[in-house]
């Protein structure tokens, strides 16, 4: 029996009493992945990206481990909810225009002490000030650095379109704007190098592309390390009490941790290890989060149909954004239909061994987005479900 076949047998036994669709997290794999992230971070604390987990119980589990500290959130409403729930260090990774949320933040000393907001434009500071509604609490602020690699004098850009702040002088100027404005305190810098952390460099069957990605990432890392260090020096000249410099992502943990200017690493997807993180040469992990759909039809030889399953991930549309049939091994989509909203045909010889009601296990393309489809996660240890915990959605929290 292959390791994957053994996992399938465990998951089927553990969930035999549960009807599909069902979502699970294998706690042994989750914990192994967490340990690997800590190993790669080489002593620097890891701030957990909540959008890649979207389950309070699992955020609490990983933050109880040595090597993890703090949450990186994705909306202001989520940040306030987490702070009210007892999370004491929440960094909002994206600018917000949530005026009501800012009014709450400015009026509550506990929230203001726990939540740090992201800015990359003085207009965002203006919006926060206008939203205060009399609240006088000091707002903790983090600046975001654009990490994109722009060779050939900027004629080429590789990296996400995020912050407009790229050069040390630009960030220092915004730091001075924060320092001059009453009611704000600059505490951190964040830089997410998605073109390194989120792009696989060992794609099966595409050796030339993989080599090109490795060359690009090597050059991008070198350029960013120099520029990030210069940015940190420039900002610390304005704000010497800067508390943190955050960088990285699951795919670049060990590289970012090696930069002296970086004080903490952001990661989250590596805990669940969705399919987009299969193609990396620098690390491997264990798929920990899966969902199962039931077989509801057998249209012919080598074909079964499962209920639903069309859960595409965000990003540029393409085959890599679909969940992948994972267990049993050897199933694939019908190219004419793909993953469907209400039914999904699957092709391959393993279909002939599946019966009506059997489970087919899938991996989502991204990590936390799976939780937007399920109210609860069944936590598996060995071949048993040992706990069932709500996702954000299961707690009535759909932030985006």
């Amino acid at each position: 029996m292959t390791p994957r076949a053994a996992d399938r047998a465990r998951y089927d036994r553990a969930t035999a009493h549960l009807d599909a669709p069902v979502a699970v997290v294998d706690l042994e794999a989750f914990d192994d992945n967490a340990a690997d992230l800590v190993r790669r971070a080489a002593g620097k604390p890891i701030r957990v990206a909540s959008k890649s987990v979207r389950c309070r119980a699992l955020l609490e589990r990983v933050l109880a481990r040595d090597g993890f500290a703090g949450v990186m959130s994705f909306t202001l409403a989520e940040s306030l909810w987490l702070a009210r729930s007892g999370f004491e260090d929440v960094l909002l990774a994206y600018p917000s225009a949530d005026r009501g949320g800012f009014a709450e933040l400015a009026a509550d000393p506990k929230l203001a002490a726990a939540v740090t907001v992201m800015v990359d434009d003085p207009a965002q500071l203006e919006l926060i000030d206008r939203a205060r509604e009399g609240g006088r609490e000091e707002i903790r602020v983090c600046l975001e650095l654009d990490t994109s690699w722009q060779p050939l004098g900027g004629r080429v850009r590789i990296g996400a379109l995020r912050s407009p702040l790229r050069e040390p002088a630009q960030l220092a100027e915004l730091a001075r704007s924060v320092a001059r404005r009453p009611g704000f305190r600059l505490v951190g810098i964040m830089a997410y190098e998605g073109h390194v952390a989120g792009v696989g460099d060992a794609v099966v069957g595409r050796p030339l592309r993989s080599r090109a990605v490795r060359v690009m990432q090597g050059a991008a890392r070198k350029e960013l390390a120099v520029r990030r260090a210069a940015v940190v020096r420039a900002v610390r000249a304005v704000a010497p009490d800067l508390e943190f410099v955050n960088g990285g992502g699951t795919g670049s943990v060990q590289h970012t941790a090696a930069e002296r200017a970086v004080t903490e690493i952001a990661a989250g997807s590596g805990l669940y290890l969705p399919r987009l993180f299969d193609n990396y040469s620098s690390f491997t992990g264990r798929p920990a989060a899966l969902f199962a759909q039931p077989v509801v039809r057998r249209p012919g030889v080598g074909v079964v149909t499962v209920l639903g399953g069309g859960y595409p991930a965000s990003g540029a549309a393409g085959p890599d954004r679909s969940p992948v049939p994972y267990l049993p091994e050897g199933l694939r989509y019908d190219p004419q239909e793909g993953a469907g909203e209400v039914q999904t045909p699957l092709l391959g010889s393993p279909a002939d061994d599946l019966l009506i009601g059997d489970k087919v296990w899938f991996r989502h393309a991204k990590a936390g987005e799976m939780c937007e489809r399920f109210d609860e996660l069944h936590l598996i240890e060995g071949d048993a479900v040992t706990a069932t915990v709500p996702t954000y959605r299961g707690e009535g929290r759909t932030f985006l």
Side-chain angles (χ1 to χ4, degrees):
M1 182 180 290
T2 67
R4 278 174 60 174
D7 282 342
R8 180 196 174 200
R10 287 197 301 115
Y11 301 150
D12 283 347
R13 286 195 299 270
T15 62
H17 63 294
L18 299 171
D19 288 333
V22 64
V24 304
V25 171
D26 183 331
L27 289 181
E28 182 179 314
F30 181 90
D31 290 343
D32 284 353
N33 292 338
D36 187 63
L37 289 170
V38 170
R39 177 190 61 79
R40 291 198 286 134
K44 292 189 176 177
I46 298 171
R47 185 180 291 273
V48 184
S50 63
K51 77 179 183 66
S52 300
V53 179
R54 303 194 202 200
C55 170
R56 280 199 301 165
L58 290 175
L59 287 174
E60 290 166 354
R61 182 183 183 92
V62 74
L63 285 170
R65 300 177 64 98
D66 290 341
F68 290 86
V71 174
M72 177 176 282
S73 58
F74 59 98
T75 73
L76 182 55
E78 180 211 13
S79 305
L80 301 178
W81 178 62
L82 290 175
R84 289 193 179 96
S85 301
F87 293 84
E88 297 179 349
D89 180 5
V90 182
L91 169 62
L92 174 57
Y94 307 88
S96 176
D98 181 353
R99 292 176 176 83
F102 284 127
E104 293 181 50
L105 184 64
D108 189 318
K110 177 184 175 182
L111 297 179
V115 175
T116 301
V117 303
M118 191 66 60
V119 300
D120 56 33
D121 190 313
Q124 294 155 353
L125 299 173
E126 291 280 358
L127 185 147
I128 295 170
D129 258 345
R130 291 196 302 271
R132 284 179 181 270
E133 295 183 355
R136 297 181 178 274
E137 295 300 322
E138 186 175 64
I139 305 299
R140 294 166 54 85
V141 170
C142 178
L143 308 182
E144 182 170 1
L145 165 67
D146 169 37
T147 66
S148 65
W149 183 45
Q150 300 185 18
L152 301 178
R155 291 190 293 275
V156 175
R157 177 193 177 96
I158 299 175
L161 288 163
R162 292 177 62 114
S163 170
L165 305 175
R166 179 171 180 80
E167 301 302 330
Q170 294 175 299
L171 282 98
E173 179 55 34
L174 186 54
R176 284 189 285 271
S177 294
V178 175
R180 289 192 296 262
R181 186 180 287 268
F184 293 88
R185 179 158 61 96
L186 178 58
V187 298
I189 299 171
M190 189 197 82
Y192 171 58
E193 52 267 38
H195 51 299
V196 179
V199 179
D201 67 343
V203 181
V204 175
R206 304 190 68 180
L208 294 180
R209 181 185 186 280
S210 298
R211 182 177 179 184
V213 169
R214 287 194 292 274
V215 170
M216 176 276 289
Q217 291 179 338
R221 287 198 305 266
K222 183 177 180 180
E223 184 276 335
L224 178 59
V226 172
R227 184 159 51 89
R228 179 154 41 199
V231 164
V232 173
R233 287 194 298 271
V235 173
R236 285 195 185 278
V238 179
D241 295 330
L242 207 63
E243 296 176 12
F244 64 86
V245 177
N246 180 283
T250 288
S252 67
V253 169
Q254 67 275 24
H255 302 298
T256 308
E259 294 183 34
R260 291 183 61 185
V262 174
T263 67
E264 64 175 40
I265 309 299
S269 294
L271 296 168
Y272 287 170
L273 204 78
R275 65 171 295 196
L276 285 178
F277 286 85
D278 284 346
N279 303 315
Y280 286 78
S281 62
S282 60
F283 74 97
T284 57
R286 296 176 56 186
L290 303 97
F291 65 91
Q293 304 295 116
V295 174
V296 292
R297 283 179 170 164
R298 292 173 50 87
V301 176
V303 186
V304 292
T305 301
V306 299
L307 179 71
Y311 306 154
S314 58
D320 65 338
R321 301 291 144 165
S322 292
V324 61
Y326 184 61
L327 301 171
E329 298 179 64
L331 293 173
R332 64 187 186 278
Y333 291 122
D334 179 340
Q336 301 301 314
E337 297 196 43
E341 178 187 10
V342 291
Q343 69 169 30
T344 298
L346 297 170
L347 313 180
S349 58
D352 294 329
D353 296 323
L354 290 169
L355 304 176
I356 300 296
D358 283 353
K359 294 181 175 77
V360 174
W361 295 91
F362 293 78
R363 294 170 63 201
H364 204 280
K366 286 192 170 182
E369 292 185 24
M370 180 187 81
C371 294
E372 297 298 334
R373 299 287 184 162
F374 293 90
D375 289 343
E376 56 191 17
L377 298 173
H378 301 281
L379 307 184
I380 292 178
E381 296 182 78
D383 59 0
V385 171
T386 57
T388 298
V389 296
T391 61
Y392 279 13
R393 167 178 153 156
E395 296 198 69
R397 306 288 177 165
T398 51
F399 295 108
L400 281 177

